[in-house]
Amino acid sequence: MSVAVRATGVHVTLGGAPIVHHVDLSVDEGEVVALLGANGSGKSTLVRALVGVVPVDRGSVELLGTPLGRSVAWDRIGYVPQRVSAATGVPATAAEVVASGTLHARRLRPPRDTGRRVTQALEQVGLGALAHRPVGQLSGGQQQRVLIARALVRRPDLLVLDEPVAGVDVPSQRAFADALTTLAAGGTTVLVVLHELGALAPLVRRAVVLRHGSVVHDGAPPSPAAGHAGPEHDHVHPHDTADDDAAALTPRVGWEL
Amino acid sequence: MGAVNVWSELTGMLGDPLMQRALVAALLVGLAAPVIGTYLVQRRLSLLGDGIGHVALTGVALGWLVGSFAGLAPDALAIPGAVVAAVAGAVVIELVRERGRTSGDVALALLFYGGIAGGVLLISQAGGTSANLMGYLFGSISTVTWADLWLTVALTAVVLVVGVGLRTALFAVSQDEEFARAAGLPVRALNLAIAVVAALTVTVAMRVVGLLLVSALMIVPVAAAQQVTASFRRTMTVAMTVGAVVCVGGLAITYWNDVSPGATIVVLAIAVYAAFALARPAMRRLRGAVEREDPHPAVDDDVQLALGGGR
């Protein structure tokens, strides 16, 4: 079996601060891996480095067997950034946002069958009926699902998601878990950053836990720390990188190993 | 005025070669400016066109200076100078924005004041006066020559090919740069394409509305269109239509009334904006009467309600 993601000795420095260091991570094709850790543990920064959004300081990253760069098979990789809102200055429909996901390093114009693929991707996340609504009018959870559809529209073999269910309403979480289960069953490799396993618990066989920017656990999903357990404890932490940096100064440990 | 009179007045206007060239230039600019304006509004850089316009003024004066040294007609190099300065200015703004060192707001302010001051300073060095700059600041469409027109056609073609042909890619990079980067898209090249095309648009529109009002022609039609549209594509199409109609309409008005074409065009565009703003609630009501839509997204309650029938 070949390796979908291979990171060796990865260091990431942002604004002079070492956010991620000495990270070795390899994800086999077809695996579903959760990347866990407290706020500010560097898990978001790590996945952003893996997909080339922030530069890797030292170490190497291979995606689907190719070193990070233009020659990576980007059309086989779907990335869902952490986002609070998908709306921008000019109105855009859900279908238009999803259609932008058909583009990649070697394709600057959408393919002919874009319309059909966009409809399929939106149906996968349960938003088929809202294709022509402006994204600004959708709820936060629905906007997040639009961003997931944007990653699915190119039918990726590797799906990288950054906190896809943070601050998302319950039906959207359920729709998301269903879509991910179907994809994983079909052989899609999934690397997902999570604050807690939640609705995805049945799907995740392997968890990698980050603390202070390095891996402290790699194996079976650990049980949550006291006070973070139970279905009644609902985390809602939409935060951006600025918050992550601030939280890095006062690290909290959310996972018991 | 009888129907025959209106007809003869119209054919009189359309038969005037000077007016013919001016109308074609106005139509092309009206179509091209809102294309790039749509991307600028989407990235919340509405004032970028203004910043580039001010830098272009320095380019005009620089062209004037070089022309006087080379012994050419004083304004022979004004437009090439404006093109060079506008493109250079736009690229610098984009690179500064990418670094994120200076806030975009401060970078634009520097351009505004530096551009105007540089223009006035250089034009006096070239033996001209600030009055020579007035034609560029407020437009001089009545003096469009055949050479100007061909330049306008060529620049408009570039703007339309890039702005419309690469719409999905430019949308992707304007909408979510992080996602575009993670898709392996050439983000910097696309950002620079938007900046350079914005600069070309500014120099094309300079002739019609003048550098001080260029940005209005890029932004106001988009602002008007997005009040009545739901999609990006439709916003761009409606904005292009609005741009073309107000440019040609505004210019036609100046054929009969002695008013500034640039100012007339911009005032017309703002009138369209106001009309769309007034029409919006009416259109909403019209649509609502058909669909009776609940404005709240269809989401289950997050809490258990003790008494049934919460909704």
Side-chain angles (χ1 to χ4, degrees):
Chain A
M1 182 167 284
S2 47
V3 179
V5 180
R6 190 198 300 277
T8 321
V10 166
H11 290 244
V12 180
T13 308
L14 291 181
I19 308 294
V20 170
H21 51 92
H22 303 99
V23 168
D24 294 314
L25 174 68
S26 110
V27 179
D28 286 336
E29 278 187 7
E31 257 192 308
V32 177
V33 176
L35 198 54
L36 303 169
N39 282 347
S41 57
K43 54 195 193 308
S44 263
T45 304
L46 176 60
V47 290
R48 293 171 84 217
L50 292 181
V51 296
V53 173
V54 296
V56 174
D57 239 23
R58 261 186 291 151
S60 67
V61 175
E62 277 179 35
L63 293 177
L64 301 168
T66 315
L68 203 58
R70 273 188 70 82
S71 50
V72 166
W74 290 109
D75 53 321
R76 292 173 56 204
I77 299 170
Y79 170 60
V80 182
Q82 185 180 31
R83 181 52 48 94
V84 177
S85 168
T88 49
V90 173
T93 61
E96 284 179 314
V97 173
V98 174
S100 71
T102 57
L103 305 183
H104 51 82
R106 281 177 296 282
R107 178 174 277 289
L108 289 181
R109 286 169 60 79
R112 270 214 197 107
D113 59 344
T114 298
R116 197 164 46 78
R117 289 168 66 162
V118 166
T119 312
Q120 270 177 10
L122 280 167
E123 276 165 3
Q124 263 176 293
V125 296
L127 288 181
L130 301 181
H132 299 293
R133 282 277 198 94
V135 282
Q137 283 180 19
L138 304 181
S139 76
Q142 289 169 335
Q143 289 190 12
Q144 184 72 55
R145 281 196 265 169
V146 170
L147 298 190
I148 294 166
R150 180 179 64 177
L152 295 182
V153 73
R154 60 175 86 163
R155 295 169 189 149
D157 297 324
L158 167 62
L159 200 52
V160 180
L161 309 105
D162 193 354
E163 300 242 13
V165 286
V168 163
D169 49 81
V170 175
S172 286
Q173 288 196 24
R174 225 175 284 135
F176 168 69
D178 290 349
L180 217 57
T181 307
T182 314
L183 286 166
T188 308
T189 313
V190 179
L191 177 60
V192 55
V193 172
L194 289 173
H195 200 75
E196 54 188 2
L197 292 175
L200 295 181
L203 206 60
V204 176
R205 294 280 156 72
R206 178 182 158 204
V208 174
V209 181
L210 243 60
R211 189 189 289 167
H212 294 237
S214 60
V215 176
V216 292
H217 171 83
D218 189 345
S223 50
H228 290 254
E232 73 280 358
H233 181 83
D234 187 24
H235 275 293
V236 177
H237 296 292
H239 48 78
D240 55 26
T241 29
D243 289 342
D244 273 349
D245 292 347
L249 300 172
T250 53
R252 292 184 298 114
V253 180
W255 292 89
E256 221 169 49
L257 305 174
Chain B
M1 206 192 306
V4 179
N5 266 337
V6 172
W7 183 247
S8 68
E9 284 280 330
L10 267 181
T11 49
M13 176 178 84
L14 294 175
D16 179 353
L18 202 71
M19 200 64 191
Q20 284 169 356
R21 290 200 293 269
L23 280 172
V24 172
L27 177 69
L28 292 175
V29 168
L31 283 175
V35 171
I36 201 69
T38 311
Y39 299 112
L40 297 186
V41 172
Q42 194 194 14
R43 359 179 74 191
R44 304 188 197 283
L45 278 174
S46 296
L47 291 177
L48 179 71
D50 244 330
I52 296 173
H54 285 64
V55 174
L57 190 72
T58 299
V60 166
L62 203 61
W64 201 292
L65 191 66
V66 172
S68 73
F69 280 140
L72 298 165
D75 59 349
L77 292 178
I79 290 192
V83 172
V84 170
V87 169
V91 168
V92 168
I93 298 174
E94 177 49 38
L95 294 179
V96 167
R97 196 190 68 84
E98 187 188 273
R99 291 281 157 89
R101 290 269 162 78
T102 316
S103 97
D105 180 44
V106 173
L108 280 178
L110 288 172
L111 280 179
F112 279 19
Y113 310 129
I116 290 277
V120 173
L121 208 61
L122 286 174
I123 199 82
S124 59
Q125 293 299 306
T129 64
S130 307
N132 294 123
L133 290 178
M134 291 304 261
Y136 299 97
L137 282 176
F138 294 102
S140 53
I141 192 162
S142 50
T143 60
V144 171
T145 63
W146 278 111
D148 291 340
L149 190 59
W150 285 119
L151 188 67
T152 306
V153 169
L155 291 179
T156 305
V158 172
V159 172
L160 290 180
V161 165
V162 175
V164 178
L166 288 178
R167 179 166 51 209
T168 311
L170 297 177
F171 169 81
V173 78
S174 307
Q175 209 256 346
D176 188 346
E177 202 169 301
E178 179 169 334
F179 175 80
R181 223 174 269 283
L185 287 175
V187 170
R188 172 183 277 185
L190 290 170
N191 277 333
L192 285 175
I194 292 179
V196 168
V197 170
L200 293 180
T201 310
V202 165
T203 43
V204 172
M206 172 173 85
R207 216 47 203 261
V208 176
V209 288
L211 288 172
L212 285 182
L213 293 175
V214 154
S215 201
L217 204 50
M218 293 161 86
I219 303 305
V220 178
V222 180
Q226 68 177 3
Q227 297 190 82
V228 292
T229 55
S231 77
F232 187 79
R233 186 197 179 120
R234 181 66 65 82
T235 304
M236 187 181 275
T237 317
V238 172
M240 287 171 78
T241 312
V242 169
V245 167
V246 298
C247 276
V248 171
L251 187 63
I253 290 175
T254 64
Y255 180 73
W256 291 290
N257 299 293
D258 188 19
V259 286
S260 155
T264 310
I265 288 169
V266 172
V267 168
L268 266 186
I270 290 174
V272 171
Y273 175 88
F276 279 11
L278 291 175
R280 188 156 91 135
M283 283 181 63
R284 280 272 168 82
R285 231 174 292 132
L286 211 65
R287 239 183 274 155
V290 180
E291 296 179 12
R292 286 270 172 244
E293 253 174 29
D294 180 359
H296 308 96
V299 169
D300 292 344
D301 289 324
D302 283 341
V303 290
Q304 298 270 327
L305 297 174
L307 301 166
R311 283 189 282 165

